[in-house]
Amino acid sequence: MPSKTLLFTDVVDSTALVERLGDAAAAALWAEHDHLARELLAAHRGREIDRSDGFFLLFDDAADGARFALAYHAALAPLGLSARVGLHHAAVTLRENPPSAVACGAKPIEVEGLAKPLAARVMSLARGGQTLLSDAARQSLRAPPEGAEIHAHGHYRAKGLAEPIEIFELGAAGSAFLPPADSEKVYRVVHIDALWRPVREVRHNLAPEHDAFIGRSAELRELARRLESGARLVSVLGVGGAGKTRLVRRYGLAWLGEWPGGVYFCDLSEARSLEGICFAVASALDVPLGKDDPVVQLGHAIAGRGRCLVMLDNFEQVVQQATATLGRWLDRAAQASFVVTSRERLQLPGEEVFAVEPLALDGEAIELFEARARAQRAEFRLDDTNRTAVADIAKLLDGLPLAIELAAARIRVLSPAQIVQRLKDRFVLLAGARGAAARQATLKAAIDWSWELLSPWEQAALAQCSVFEGGFTIEAAEAVLDLSAWPAAAPAIDVVQSLVDKSLVRAWLPTSCAGLDSAESTFGMYSSVHDYATQRLRDMGVAANQRSERAHGAFFAALGTDVRLDALHGHGGVQRYRALARDLGNVVLACRRAVDRGDADSAVPCYVAALQVLEQQGPLSLAVELAASLESLRLSDRQRAAALAACATAAWRTGKLEDATALLRRALEAARSAQDLRRQADASGQLGTVCTISGKHLEALPHFEEAQRLFRAIGHRGREAWMLAWLASVNDDLGRVELAEQQYRDAITVLRETGDRVNEGRHLFNLAATLANQGRVVPAIELASGALAIHREVGNRRELALTQAGLAEMACEQGRFEDARELLQQALCNAREVGTRYYEAHILGSMGHLAKACGELDEAHVRYESALAIYQEVGSMHDIGAALDDLGELATQRRNFDDARLLLEAALDIHRRSGARRFEGSALVRLASLHLKRCEVAPVRDLLDAAEPLVRESRDSLELGRLLCARGQLALAAHDRKAANRHLGDAQGVAQRVGADDQSPLGRDLAELRQALRSP
């Protein structure tokens, strides 16, 4: 086949050009373009193959193609055109079409081969006015034309090509030489740790490979081909130990740049239910689950990542949940693709099955054994004395990677020939077997053989480690393992390390703790080894099983003690919280086991510890389920107080406010009976919280004051400050603004001293909101920005969402609508991924405010209605009133006066019953404005007189400005233009002080008053 230089050109924005010029003018321009290009082509000895928006050309000499490209760009400039050009040099097949085909419109010459799409890909990367070359074209060119330079831009991976291509730019000396931008089909990569990694940042949770990846190149290319071809669900099937997990991980690392939305590996090895699947996927996506349907929430989260890849590993034990989870995610996340590893197909629509066979016995299997054996003994080499034995090992183990790795781990103490002998003794009936069942038996036998090579204390340790769920730390292992029956046994840490060395236990650093100095190595087992160890523990007898489970429960119950829980809100609390989140599976399992055996001493603290994570990350449905299980236990008064208070938290977080109140009253009674001041304070503080959420502000105050007094009595400064911040929140809503501001500042000072970053961030934002309500927007933004930084630092996405919404409101007040829109989109995404319905409603309300400020009234109505529905769902009366206020004002603006009156009167009634004086004042002003618009002057004065002391008491500048405008309108109705002008001046001063623009509610009221004053 002849070697040719292939050159593609493409005129930039040609379609837009035609639309701008019109067909006739564009046709004339194209004719001139084609004439110039063909003249240059003849001058540089090229051949035209095809023509569309550009040309496909062939040159015998790369130098001719390069000179043509430079001349072509220069010729287009006077025409006002810009084109991209790409060159590649390779062997091609030239096929002539018969004259009859040419007569019907076919091209005289067809160019066949991979070189053609590759050259087109090179051209697609170019910017307007840029010429790009493949490495083959650069080498064929040898030297750039006179006055030109060649600049290297690195390697790019293109879809459909197995290996990246190196890209160079040809241009006039002194040109800018900008690197090509990534596109959907081509992106820049760099070679790191034997992998081509994308230069652009792509989210992923793939752990780095700790040893060499052996073979599987054909399987990797096939998996890549299927996904590139549009497959959205690929089930990678094979027997246990076939290397499915390692294969898909390798694909994710090698093709990371194909997935701009990220690659997420979800380990389902410990999952046994729909709940377990959701836990694993939420952890991989870093999405805290809320109280709503976790499958729906995760579907939204995956959809929000755009084109992403989700890998679900070890699906076989939960295949019955495929339709309820993966089936729904496929429907909700149209741009996402899924790769599943399993031992059986899922039977879902659109599923593509990709079977992974064991390694080739005469190649990759032997190579894998050699590599892993060399890791155990650096001097190990394949030679004529051991090659046959290694080949026999691969054959006896059916080429299964896990079994081969287990065998290679023995090379430190056994020769290949000795390994073969032991395998023959064990596998004599399996050596000639075929089929999946036989391979499964082979792996089982390999584990069984490894078990028998362990010392008695190593066997006991492996069996006892099976009581853990999803992993364990050395500290946990030391608390659970009982090796006292063997005086010669090494310490637990050495025994665990020995099991890691023998490939029966694996070690990793959890993604959630990566980068933290205090992060601990975590250990676990593959599911097949875990199942095997569980059976071995049963074989050791009931007493041994119960002892291990009790030790497991006692260790994790310690995480729910007052000392450990208080540490979550002190210095280093972020790291401790993440460690607790990592251990959640074990804590929940310990709680369930303790309930089953009637062990209240472990069950209650385990539940309290689990709740610390579940109320932040979800799912709250699990918290409610565990709470119900505690009812079967016989509890002391102290335990009952702790359990009831924790159950109440789960209840009010899920919107069951009446249930929460009843539980907390019972908790308070039990705490008093036990004379436990700490429990009394906790219950009183929570009662105040529930009252506040229910809109019963006056009822909340004595509860918070009692909690603050009790925490002060026991010397708990952190909790005392927490209660002080809650008092500030209530006083702010009651219109006691100066008191609220001072209480917030005092609380924040103590929280900083105690190291409670979580609550410091929360109350910094609350203080910012208080200042913003007074019109002090600049200092409010500064405080809120500080809160935002803290929330990101500690990973508190729930509060991050609320703070983003608050900053958006402040941006909206300053007229920065696009900034506000972007912040609200981020906030809504965070709130929905966390699953916090209450915060989602707040953000939807803020979106309504923004839409109204931008004149998008229909959109505002939809947002307000959505927020109201959620507030009604969770039973927050105060916020129901606020949402009715918003809808009433919107109805007034749209001149739906009858609806507005009903909505505003309903809101006013709620605010009065809850004692929220600031909001009562705002509702009165809105009602007065409504009556003025309806020319109903009689009730306006009484409404404004009732509102003014409430508004001035709360120092709500925006509402004060609106009240002054209403007084101006009332003065005009009484023909007192002097008083009206005075009120206008006062209102304008307020607007100028708080920075209210013309689109704000105050701005619109001012415009209406000015217009009325201009009228005769």
Side-chain angles (χ1 to χ4, degrees), residues 590-814:
C591 181
R592 285 174 167 158
R593 285 173 174 164
V595 170
D596 289 343
R597 62 176 181 266
D599 180 3
D601 290 336
S602 291
V604 173
C606 280
Y607 177 69
V608 173
L611 188 62
Q612 308 306 306
V613 178
L614 293 174
E615 72 167 320
Q616 296 291 330
Q617 299 187 8
L620 288 169
S621 57
L622 175 58
V624 173
E625 174 200 330
L626 291 176
S629 72
L630 298 180
E631 295 178 3
S632 64
L633 298 174
R634 296 182 61 182
L635 305 174
S636 67
D637 284 338
R638 186 177 187 280
Q639 289 172 334
R640 184 174 296 105
L644 289 169
C647 294
T649 298
W652 72 261
R653 286 287 188 197
T654 52
K656 299 173 182 175
L657 300 179
E658 292 184 3
D659 291 349
T661 301
L663 287 167
L664 288 168
R665 295 193 187 285
R666 290 171 56 196
L668 192 57
E669 180 182 346
R672 286 169 177 161
S673 178
Q675 297 183 338
D676 188 329
L677 296 183
R678 166 66 181 263
R679 309 288 165 233
Q680 290 181 53
D682 283 338
S684 293
Q686 283 208 58
L687 271 170
T689 301
V690 173
C691 288
T692 303
I693 294 172
S694 302
K696 303 172 184 176
H697 293 69
L698 295 176
E699 189 176 329
L701 281 174
H703 291 305
F704 286 134
E705 289 167 348
E706 174 70 2
Q708 185 188 20
R709 182 187 66 79
L710 290 171
F711 281 128
R712 184 185 302 121
I714 62 178
H716 201 312
R717 294 184 71 236
R719 292 272 180 168
E720 182 186 352
W722 200 348
M723 293 303 102
L724 184 60
W726 268 109
L727 281 167
S729 176
V730 173
N731 282 322
D732 187 23
D733 285 345
L734 291 174
R736 305 166 184 172
V737 180
E738 291 184 1
L739 175 60
E741 181 179 340
Q742 188 58 53
Q743 287 174 328
Y744 273 134
R745 293 190 185 279
D746 291 344
I748 290 167
T749 298
V750 176
L751 292 169
R752 283 174 176 162
E753 291 174 359
T754 59
D756 189 348
R757 296 287 280 168
V758 171
N759 281 301
E760 179 191 344
R762 178 180 296 137
H763 297 306
L764 264 178
F765 170 69
N766 289 339
L767 176 57
T770 298
L771 298 185
N773 288 333
Q774 300 170 40
R776 296 155 67 185
V777 179
V778 174
I781 290 175
E782 183 178 348
L783 288 170
S785 298
L788 200 70
I790 293 175
H791 297 325
R792 285 179 172 144
E793 171 198 332
V794 303
N796 191 339
R797 295 181 67 193
R798 188 183 66 187
E799 296 299 325
L800 177 66
L802 186 64
T803 303
Q804 287 170 327
L807 278 166
E809 293 270 12
M810 297 172 200
C812 189
E813 289 292 338
Q814 294 182 325

Side-chain angles (χ1 to χ4, degrees), residues 142 144 196 228 236 310 384 630 717 721 783 812 977:
R142 294 183 294 278
W196 288 105
E228 288 175 6
V236 179
V310 179
D384 292 340
L630 298 180
R717 294 184 71 236
L783 288 170
C812 189
R977 299 181 69 84

Side-chain angles (χ1 to χ4, degrees), residues 212 451 537 540 559 848:
W451 168 270
L537 183 60
M540 292 168 65
L559 302 180

Side-chain angles (χ1 to χ4, degrees), residues 470-503:
F472 55 91
T473 62
I474 283 294
E475 183 186 6
E478 289 173 332
V480 169
L481 298 186
D482 180 11
L483 308 178
S484 59
W486 298 275
I493 186 172
D494 295 330
V495 175
V496 171
Q497 182 61 54
S498 178
L499 294 173
V500 172
D501 292 341
K502 295 172 182 177
S503 301

Side-chain angles (χ1 to χ4, degrees), residues 751-884:
L751 292 169
R752 283 174 176 162
E753 291 174 359
T754 59
D756 189 348
R757 296 287 280 168
V758 171
N759 281 301
E760 179 191 344
R762 178 180 296 137
H763 297 306
L764 264 178
F765 170 69
N766 289 339
L767 176 57
T770 298
L771 298 185
N773 288 333
Q774 300 170 40
R776 296 155 67 185
V777 179
V778 174
I781 290 175
E782 183 178 348
L783 288 170
S785 298
L788 200 70
I790 293 175
H791 297 325
R792 285 179 172 144
E793 171 198 332
V794 303
N796 191 339
R797 295 181 67 193
R798 188 183 66 187
E799 296 299 325
L800 177 66
L802 186 64
T803 303
Q804 287 170 327
L807 278 166
E809 293 270 12
M810 297 172 200
C812 189
E813 289 292 338
Q814 294 182 325
R816 296 184 290 112
F817 298 132
E818 288 307 312
D819 291 347
R821 198 180 307 276
E822 182 177 349
L823 281 164
L824 286 171
Q825 289 296 340
Q826 294 171 6
L828 187 62
C829 178
N830 279 318
R832 284 177 170 168
E833 289 194 355
V834 171
T836 306
R837 294 283 282 166
Y838 176 80
Y839 283 8
E840 180 182 347
H842 180 90
I843 294 160
L844 287 168
S846 296
M847 287 181 156
H849 301 337
L850 174 61
K852 187 171 68 171
C854 295
E856 301 163 357
L857 302 188
D858 289 340
E859 172 71 9
H861 186 267
V862 170
R863 297 296 191 182
Y864 287 150
E865 287 280 8
S866 299
L868 177 61
I870 296 175
Y871 287 138
Q872 289 171 332
E873 172 191 326
V874 301
S876 176
M877 294 305 296
H878 159 65
D879 293 293
I880 291 172
L884 290 170

